[in-house]
């Protein structure tokens, strides 16, 4: 009696298995980086951060440099976390071309990020549709744009909301106790100026706002177009998407662009 021939594994199957193993390890590593960065740099029990007295600088150039040096690290850290999320999504998208379906943990990650980035009608969308939408949202904001807006909205770190509440971006909130009511606000107004324990927490909220709020859909669309075209994503290019950030509209956009150029911030952008 002749024994049945053993099934041999082809080189293609071995290569595919190795690709999938590497992809799973990459995703696990990216998730671990996100967790570790969050633990190391954003402890929930940290006391409120003290903001330097930028008004004490006699020389404008020194004040500006001190301001940028103070705010920039928070922007860089938060952008790095967003970039890690984006790389994870791109890896999931690449895996679909190999496996023709998403693994359960990939679907879970897609759905969690869809909630975080407020993808509209996400319950009715397929996983692939949600992923496509997310890739236009989960992306970095040019450092120069963030620095210019922080300087503009906080009067170079000297405003009351920047000094006392670590809010460098004029961010509002609408939950009772989430911040402080402006002194000039009417009795009927429901918004508060958001308060944060750290500058970095305020930066994270600012970046999430640009990446999720319907008011900045044009900014995200412009960024995505630049990505597809292989062109640099600059603060000057995205500033046009800030028309609704301020009641001043185009005048505000023009001022942000001028601050980017006048302070040489574009070279700092990703």
């Amino acid at each position: 009696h002749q024994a049945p021939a053993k099934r041999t594994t082809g080189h293609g199957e071995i290569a595919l298995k190795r690709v999938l193993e590497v992809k799973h390890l990459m995703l696990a590593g990216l998730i671990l980086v996100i967790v570790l960065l969050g633990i190391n740099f954003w402890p929930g029990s940290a006391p409120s951060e003290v903001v330097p007295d930028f008004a004490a600088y006699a020389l404008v150039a020194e004040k500006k440099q001190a301001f940028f040096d103070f705010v920039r690290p928070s922007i860089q850290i938060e952008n790095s976390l967003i970039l890690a999320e984006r790389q994870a999504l791109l890896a999931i998208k690449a895996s679909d071309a190999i496996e023709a379906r998403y693994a359960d943990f990939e679907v879970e990650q897609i759905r969690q990020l869809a909630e975080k980035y407020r993808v509209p009608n996400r319950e009715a969308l397929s996983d692939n549709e949600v992923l496509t939408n997310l890739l236009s949202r989960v992306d970095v904001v040019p450092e120069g744009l963030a620095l210019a807006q922080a300087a503009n909205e906080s009067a170079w770190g000297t405003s009351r909301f920047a000094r006392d509440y670590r809010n460098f971006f004029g961010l509002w909130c609408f939950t009772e106790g989430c911040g402080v009511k402006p002194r000039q606000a009417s009795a009927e107004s429901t918004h508060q100026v958001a308060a944060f324990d750290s500058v970095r927490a305020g930066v994270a909220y600012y970046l999430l706002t640009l990446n999720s709020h319907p008011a900045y859909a044009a900014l995200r669309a412009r960024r995505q177009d630049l990505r597809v075209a292989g062109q640099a994503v600059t603060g000057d290019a995205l500033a046009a998407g800030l028309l609704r950030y301020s009641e001043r509209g185009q005048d505000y956009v023009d001022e942000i662009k001028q601050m980017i150029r006048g302070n040489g911030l574009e070279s700092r952008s990703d």
Side-chain angles (χ1 to χ4, degrees):
H1 180 72
Q2 186 177 5
K6 293 183 179 180
R7 180 178 180 275
T8 59
T9 302
H11 293 295
E13 291 181 58
I14 295 174
L16 176 59
K17 183 177 180 182
R18 288 176 178 173
V19 168
L20 296 179
E21 288 175 348
V22 170
K23 182 257 301 181
H24 290 158
L25 287 173
M26 288 175 62
L27 284 175
L30 286 170
I31 293 171
L32 180 60
V33 167
I34 293 172
V35 172
L36 289 177
L37 283 173
I39 291 173
N40 289 330
F41 291 105
W42 198 350
S45 59
S48 295
E49 184 177 3
V50 176
V51 175
D53 182 7
F54 294 108
Y57 285 88
L59 298 178
V60 173
E62 290 184 359
K63 178 175 72 173
K64 288 184 175 183
Q65 189 61 52
F67 177 86
F68 291 143
D69 290 344
F70 179 71
V71 178
R72 187 184 304 112
S74 294
I75 297 171
Q76 292 176 338
I77 291 171
E78 288 303 319
N79 262 335
S80 70
L81 294 179
I82 294 172
L83 183 59
E85 291 176 332
R86 180 174 179 81
Q87 293 298 334
L89 290 173
L90 290 172
I92 291 174
K93 182 180 180 181
S95 76
D96 181 52
I98 299 174
E99 299 179 81
R101 64 179 299 275
Y102 299 128
D104 290 343
F105 77 93
E106 292 173 330
V107 172
E108 182 178 359
Q109 189 170 15
I110 289 172
R111 292 296 169 176
Q112 287 177 348
L113 289 174
E115 182 175 359
K116 174 181 176 180
Y117 286 89
R118 305 165 193 165
V119 173
N121 304 316
R122 53 186 174 272
E123 295 82 4
L125 299 177
S126 68
D127 296 331
N128 194 53
E129 289 171 330
V130 173
L131 176 58
T132 299
N133 190 302
L134 278 172
L135 286 172
S136 71
R137 294 169 180 259
V138 185
D139 203 347
V140 298
V141 171
E143 183 182 302
L145 180 65
L147 287 172
Q149 281 202 271
N152 185 285
E153 295 288 340
S154 71
W156 294 96
T158 63
S159 72
R160 178 169 71 100
F161 300 118
R163 294 193 321 267
D164 298 340
Y165 303 102
R166 277 71 56 190
N167 187 336
F168 281 68
F169 295 93
L171 298 165
W172 290 5
C173 59
F174 298 88
T175 305
E176 186 64 30
C178 64
V180 58
K181 195 166 186 176
R183 292 169 180 164
Q184 70 275 20
S186 65
E188 295 78 20
S189 67
T190 59
H191 79 275
Q192 299 179 45
V193 177
F196 303 99
D197 287 333
S198 68
V199 175
R200 184 181 158 197
V203 168
Y205 191 89
Y206 157 77
L207 296 176
L208 182 60
T209 298
L210 293 190
N211 282 334
S212 63
H213 198 285
Y216 310 112
L219 181 149
R220 297 191 293 272
R222 175 60 173 154
R223 182 175 60 190
Q224 187 175 34
D225 289 344
L226 290 171
R227 293 287 189 209
V228 172
Q231 298 177 14
V233 177
T234 66
D236 188 77
L238 299 194
L242 296 173
L243 280 172
R244 294 177 61 187
Y245 201 96
S246 167
E247 293 178 350
R248 297 170 56 213
Q250 187 60 49
D251 287 343
Y252 178 79
V253 169
D254 292 341
E255 188 169 311
I256 293 300
K257 286 186 174 183
Q258 180 56 43
M259 292 183 73
I260 292 173
R261 298 166 184 167
N263 292 282
L265 298 178
E266 204 66 273
S267 60
R268 306 179 195 273
S269 303
D270 294 327

